[in-house]
């Protein structure tokens, strides 16, 4: 094995006057060194302290967010380019903290993952979103699916398959209507365990898709082995497409790749009409993005779907 060191430095009397503060600040600097890719030295500075204090505050607020009912789900519709129908919606979590204000999922999901809280939060998201789907189905929209984002820890630690099984029963839902989105980086993480858990989920008949596709470095042979039904092309690729054929190569290639593996290919972050035209030409299956609709409350999303029909 290769040993490396991450070193944090704090200096008396510039940074602190007491041994305990000096140690604390050196510790903060050490974590910064780890964040910078390890095997490096970081000197403490004020900004680090502010950042780490903000982080600690967020973590504290996150702990009580569920019991205080501070979470809310938004739903963003996804449309088939073949039928122009809304095929499903993605549940996107929102946190309005009493102390910290509105915090984006890009900020709090990684924190919840780190603290392990994502297990409980994830269970809440699943239950809430399936309850909404059950309601929509009861109104006759039973062709609709629901996508839920899942993190590595959920796949690794929680009894996700068991929970999904219970939800299918509780809300009387066809399993294929439930789509779990995992990210490419999760597939690439060191642990083999989460991946083997994918088959447990697949056994229930749920739909699995790979989110933010193209941003990681998936080995293509891996992709072939996984029970993945859909690829969601990351929005950073979608916003690049245009009249210049060179910019379209990547997206076209991903679509061809997905199709050759029998997968549904979804474009995320579709913001302009021109992109829809191009994606149609490329044979992309489904689109999601601000052009169609922004993420919105369940009632607004239902109204949108009714209007769209
Ligand atoms: P994601 O799963 O890739 O979700 C798509 C993100 O793109 C959402 O950001 C959505 O609001 C945004 N988006 C949709 N259409 C457009 C568009 O046309 N243009 C642009 N610029 N953006 C668009 P959001 O809601 O901030 O979520 C960010 C990420 O946080 C999600 O990325 C997902 O990875 C994560 N996340 C959200 N909710 C949950 C959750 O319940 N559980 C977990 N584990 N992760 C979640
Ligand atoms: Mg997603
Ligand atoms: Mg995405």
């Amino acid at each position: 094995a290769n040993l490396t060191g991450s070193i944090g430095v704090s200096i008396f009397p510039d940074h602190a006057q007491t041994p305990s503060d000096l140690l604390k600040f050196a510790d903060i600097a050490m974590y910064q060194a780890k964040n910078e890719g390890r095997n490096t030295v970081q000197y403490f500075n004020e900004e680090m302290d502010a950042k780490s204090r903000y982080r600690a505050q967020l973590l504290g607020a996150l702990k009580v967010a569920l019991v205080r009912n501070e979470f809310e789900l938004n739903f963003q519709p996804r449309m088939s380019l073949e039928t122009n129908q809304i095929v499903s919606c993605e549940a996107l979590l929102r946190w309005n903290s009493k102390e910290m204000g509105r915090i984006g999922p890009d900020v709090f999901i990684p924190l919840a993952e780190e603290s392990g809280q994502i297990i409980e939060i994830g269970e809440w998201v699943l239950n809430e979103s399936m309850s909404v789907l059950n309601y929509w189905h009861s109104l006759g929209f039973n062709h609709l699916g629901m996508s839920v984002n899942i993190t590595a820890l959920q796949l690794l630690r929680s009894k996700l398959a068991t929970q999904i099984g219970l939800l299918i029963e509780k809300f009387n839902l066809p399993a294929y209507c439930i789509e779990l989105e995992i990210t490419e980086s999760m597939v690439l993480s060191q642990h083999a365990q989460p991946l083997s858990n994918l088959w447990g989920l697949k056994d229930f008949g749920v739909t699995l898709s790979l989110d933010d596709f193209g941003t990681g470095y998936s080995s293509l042979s891996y992709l072939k082995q996984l029970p993945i039904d859909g690829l969601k092309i990351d929005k950073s690729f979608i916003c690049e497409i245009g009249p210049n054929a060179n910019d379209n190569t990547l997206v076209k290639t991903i679509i061809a790749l997905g199709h050759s593996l029998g997968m549904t290919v979804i474009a995320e972050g579709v913001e302009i009409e021109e992109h829809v035209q191009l994606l149609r030409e490329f044979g992309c299956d489904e689109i999601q993005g601000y052009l169609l609709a922004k993420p919105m409350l369940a009632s607004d999303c239902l109204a949108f779907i009714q209007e769209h029909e």
Side-chain angles (χ1 to χ4, degrees):
N2 220 342
L3 283 183
T4 62
S6 300
I7 300 172
V9 179
S10 68
I11 296 168
F12 173 87
D14 301 9
H15 297 145
Q17 276 72 47
T18 65
S20 65
D21 278 354
L22 279 167
L23 278 171
K24 192 180 92 188
F25 291 163
D27 201 44
I28 289 171
M30 180 196 66
Y31 278 105
Q32 191 58 37
K34 284 184 191 292
N35 275 338
E36 309 267 309
R38 297 165 191 268
N39 199 19
T40 183
V41 180
Q42 282 286 320
Y43 285 78
F44 174 80
N45 63 45
E46 291 292 319
E47 200 185 313
M48 276 181 202
D49 187 38
K51 256 196 218 161
S52 89
R53 237 183 287 162
Y54 181 69
R55 237 182 76 95
Q57 278 172 347
L58 277 181
L59 277 168
L62 201 52
K63 268 193 201 133
V64 293
L66 259 184
V67 291
R68 286 194 188 165
N69 230 340
E70 291 176 347
F71 288 119
E72 187 173 70
L73 283 183
N74 275 4
F75 299 88
Q76 189 180 33
R78 200 163 107 189
M79 188 185 84
S80 158
L81 286 178
E82 196 192 326
T83 64
N84 290 325
Q85 273 203 319
I86 304 299
V87 283
S88 65
C89 292
E90 177 171 7
L92 293 160
L93 189 56
R94 299 291 176 256
W95 177 28
N96 195 2
S97 163
K98 208 169 282 164
E99 287 112 26
M100 314 293 291
R102 284 197 167 271
I103 314 289
D106 286 329
V107 174
F108 72 79
I109 297 283
L111 282 182
E113 172 96 350
E114 235 173 82
S115 68
Q117 254 222 290
I118 193 68
I119 302 290
E120 274 180 284
I121 297 173
E123 281 175 10
W124 182 86
V125 170
L126 273 167
N127 188 69
E128 198 73 8
S129 55
M130 292 312 140
S131 146
V132 167
L133 186 65
N134 165 266
Y135 176 59
W136 291 350
H137 279 202
S138 76
L139 297 176
F141 296 99
N142 32 25
H143 61 281
L144 285 178
M146 181 69 76
S147 288
V148 179
N149 296 286
I150 299 292
T151 68
L153 196 69
Q154 282 174 279
L155 209 47
L156 187 66
R157 283 252 202 93
S158 70
K159 301 184 172 56
L160 197 56
T162 313
Q163 200 205 349
I164 298 282
L166 290 172
L167 286 173
I168 288 172
E169 263 182 46
K170 176 177 173 189
F171 294 116
N172 191 26
L173 293 163
Y176 65 85
C177 286
I178 304 173
E179 175 170 342
L180 301 178
E181 297 189 3
I182 59 172
T183 59
E184 203 183 2
S185 54
M186 277 172 59
V187 172
L188 299 171
S189 72
Q190 322 66 327
H191 316 284
Q193 185 62 27
L195 295 185
S196 65
N197 287 350
L198 285 179
W199 271 272
L201 287 167
K202 201 59 219 168
D203 283 344
F204 277 104
V206 299
T207 305
L208 298 176
S209 60
L210 217 46
D211 205 352
D212 304 344
F213 188 76
T215 55
Y217 302 89
S218 293
S219 118
L220 298 182
S221 60
Y222 235 61
L223 202 58
K224 199 180 70 183
Q225 291 164 31
L226 294 173
I228 300 287
D229 308 284
L231 288 186
K232 295 188 86 172
I233 310 174
D234 192 68
K235 49 180 175 281
S236 58
F237 296 100
I238 301 304
C239 65
E240 291 290 314
I241 61 175
N244 182 348
N246 262 343
D247 298 332
N248 303 335
T249 317
L250 268 174
V251 168
K252 278 178 165 174
T253 307
I254 296 175
I255 294 171
L257 170 76
H259 286 166
S260 73
L261 293 171
M263 297 171 181
T264 303
V265 182
I266 303 114
E268 50 176 21
V270 179
E271 292 181 353
I272 57 176
E273 187 57 46
E274 186 197 359
H275 287 164
V276 182
Q277 235 96 79
L278 285 165
L279 288 162
R280 261 185 217 283
E281 261 176 52
F282 304 161
C284 185
D285 301 297
E286 296 173 9
I287 58 163
Q288 183 180 340
Y290 294 167
L291 178 72
L292 184 66
K294 292 206 169 179
M296 53 201 152
L297 290 177
S299 52
D300 295 330
C301 191
L302 175 66
F304 175 86
I305 295 164
Q306 283 166 329
E307 178 94 350
H308 188 92
E309 290 268 301

